[in-house]
Amino acid sequence: DQQVKQNSPSLSVQEGRISILNCDYTNSMFDYFLWYKKYPAEGPTFLISISSIKDKNEDGRFTVFLNKSAKHLSLHIVPSQPGDSAVYFCAASDSGGGADGLTFGKGTHLIIQP
Amino acid sequence: DAGVIQSPRHEVTEMGQEVTLRCKPISGHDYLFWYRQTMMRGLELLIYFNNNVPIDDSGMPEDRFSAKMPNASFSTLKIQPSEPRDSAVYFCASSPAKLGGRETQYFGPGTRLLVL
């Protein structure tokens, strides 16, 4: 049973427009959420995170929104650039439960069209 | 900073052979994680260490898998004997000591394993 779900395997967006990647989770104990970006033949790299005490975190072109009641988070990229084309993974952790590993979604392949 | 180093980057082996994957975490990081990525299951945690001690190995799929961390700068993940279904990309990640339970994990480039 997947505890972190990214229901869109791929997403195509025009350069300059907004990219919105979605993630849902089922485990109510998760209190820390991260987005990782992955290029082919490389490891995932950290992009942005959000604690459950917040509902928004912004870093340059990247903003993550958290809706705890809906157990939903989203990553907004604006404006989208060609270098943003990559696979984006949503991840979650239960930092207070002693479990330190991350639970990942299966990823969304973002394609930025010129 | 060299980041997390993994070797080999690619490994092709025959079923039944022993496979050893290696990882050097970022210096000063207290946590080391092994993940596996497959098409079917995505990225899943296999095992992690804190200060060289295995903390949670519940993600290790079978007894054929074992992991060690003999010192703070080196870890191995061993598969013996290997099977075709072990074919995947194996990632090692490390993170600093937890401050309030929230620390970013830094991933290596991965080892792409193919078992024939």
Side-chain angles (χ1 to χ4, degrees):
Chain A
D1 182 32
Q2 275 225 295
Q3 296 187 65
V4 177
K5 298 178 184 178
Q6 294 177 257
N7 292 320
S8 299
S10 67
L11 175 67
S12 184
V13 175
Q14 206 157 19
E15 181 179 357
R17 308 292 283 265
I18 183 170
S19 295
I20 300 176
L21 295 94
N22 293 302
C23 178
D24 297 292
Y25 62 96
T26 58
N27 188 340
S28 58
M29 299 300 293
F30 287 148
D31 61 356
Y32 187 52
F33 304 88
L34 310 90
W35 284 93
Y36 279 79
K37 177 179 179 179
K38 185 183 180 304
Y39 292 119
E42 294 183 10
T45 55
F46 171 73
L47 193 57
I48 192 169
S49 64
I50 188 166
S51 161
S52 60
I53 62 173
K54 294 185 174 182
D55 55 19
K56 176 183 174 182
N57 189 24
E58 192 172 349
D59 183 2
R61 297 186 297 114
F62 302 92
T63 303
V64 56
F65 295 92
L66 175 62
N67 182 336
K68 282 182 294 183
S69 60
K71 293 192 177 68
H72 176 84
L73 63 156
S74 60
L75 174 69
H76 292 211
I77 306 172
V78 54
S80 302
Q81 298 175 354
D84 296 331
S85 294
V87 177
Y88 290 79
F89 290 97
C90 172
S93 73
D94 168 15
S95 61
D100 296 290
L102 294 174
T103 301
F104 282 86
K106 290 191 174 182
T108 296
H109 186 192
L110 176 63
I111 302 162
I112 305 301
Q113 307 272 11
Chain B
D1 187 353
V4 176
I5 299 172
Q6 291 187 246
S7 65
R9 293 293 310 273
H10 303 272
E11 177 80 30
V12 180
T13 190
E14 292 187 344
M15 183 174 66
Q17 296 297 306
E18 177 180 296
V19 175
T20 300
L21 311 181
R22 298 173 177 79
C23 175
K24 177 178 168 51
I26 294 172
S27 177
H29 281 191
D30 293 331
Y31 285 81
L32 183 139
F33 306 83
W34 283 100
Y35 290 88
R36 178 172 70 174
Q37 183 185 20
T38 60
M39 290 292 291
M40 289 293 292
R41 300 175 67 88
L43 260 170
E44 51 181 348
L45 176 69
L46 299 177
I47 184 172
Y48 76 92
F49 297 81
N50 179 18
N51 291 322
N52 313 337
V53 177
I55 302 300
D56 183 358
D57 66 354
S58 60
M60 297 285 260
E62 298 172 36
D63 291 344
R64 299 183 296 106
F65 286 71
S66 62
K68 293 182 180 179
M69 192 164 186
N71 57 63
S73 59
F74 183 65
S75 177
T76 59
L77 178 68
K78 187 175 290 187
I79 309 172
Q80 165 65 12
S82 59
E83 297 183 3
R85 59 191 166 129
D86 302 331
S87 298
V89 182
Y90 291 80
F91 290 102
C92 175
S94 69
S95 72
K98 289 172 65 172
L99 298 175
R102 301 179 179 112
E103 288 296 343
T104 299
Q105 295 181 20
Y106 298 85
F107 282 75
T111 295
R112 185 173 295 272
L113 173 65
L114 177 61
V115 183
L116 302 173

